[in-house]
Amino acid sequence: MSRPPFETAEHIARQALATWGLSVHAETDEGADDSWLVISLPQRADALLSEGVPHVVLYVFDPFSDEDEVMVDRAPAGPSDHWCAVSVDGRGVQRPLFARPVAQLTGCVDAIADWLTSPQA
């Protein structure tokens, strides 16, 4: 099923994550024109308000572009766009989780769900 061209990466990801019952929080850095999604553990609305909450940061990135754009507020534009995720543990240590072509969103959501359901340090 093809998606309308105006559908943002955020909307697409929210729908896919919702199939696992996962809620997300959108973040932006206005100065850098970046946007991303945060999927926290535990899955509570107030979880992001406290320090030391393990979470996954999800965004779209084009590794072949000259621009350093991290975003979810536009539609994935082309075949070189990738879903990227970074896991952040309770101490704030970041680790790459995956970088996959945008057509592989289902595998990305599965990887996020696996990370969220695995014991975290």
Side-chain angles (χ1 to χ4, degrees):
M1 180 175 152
S2 67
R3 299 186 186 282
F6 58 89
E7 206 168 24
T8 65
E10 177 181 352
H11 181 77
I12 294 166
R14 281 183 184 275
Q15 286 183 315
L17 291 161
T19 64
W20 277 88
L22 299 174
S23 58
V24 301
H25 176 75
E27 294 280 334
T28 59
D29 178 348
E30 299 293 331
D33 287 332
D34 289 341
S35 59
W36 58 92
L37 298 175
V38 178
I39 305 101
S40 67
L41 180 69
Q43 282 278 290
R44 292 191 331 255
D46 64 344
L48 290 174
L49 302 176
S50 59
E51 292 288 324
V53 174
H55 60 279
V56 173
V57 175
L58 177 67
Y59 56 92
V60 172
F61 180 74
D62 182 348
F64 303 107
S65 173
D66 291 336
E67 295 184 33
D68 188 23
E69 178 189 38
V70 170
M71 69 79 210
V72 292
D73 58 359
R74 70 161 169 81
S80 60
D81 274 343
H82 283 65
W83 290 105
C84 298
V86 175
S87 65
V88 183
D89 70 15
R91 298 175 314 247
V93 176
Q94 299 181 12
R95 292 185 177 87
L97 192 58
F98 59 76
R100 297 182 182 168
V102 291
Q104 296 180 12
L105 180 58
T106 300
C108 298
V109 171
D110 291 347
I112 291 169
D114 286 346
W115 186 87
L116 290 170
T117 56
S118 298
Q120 303 300 316

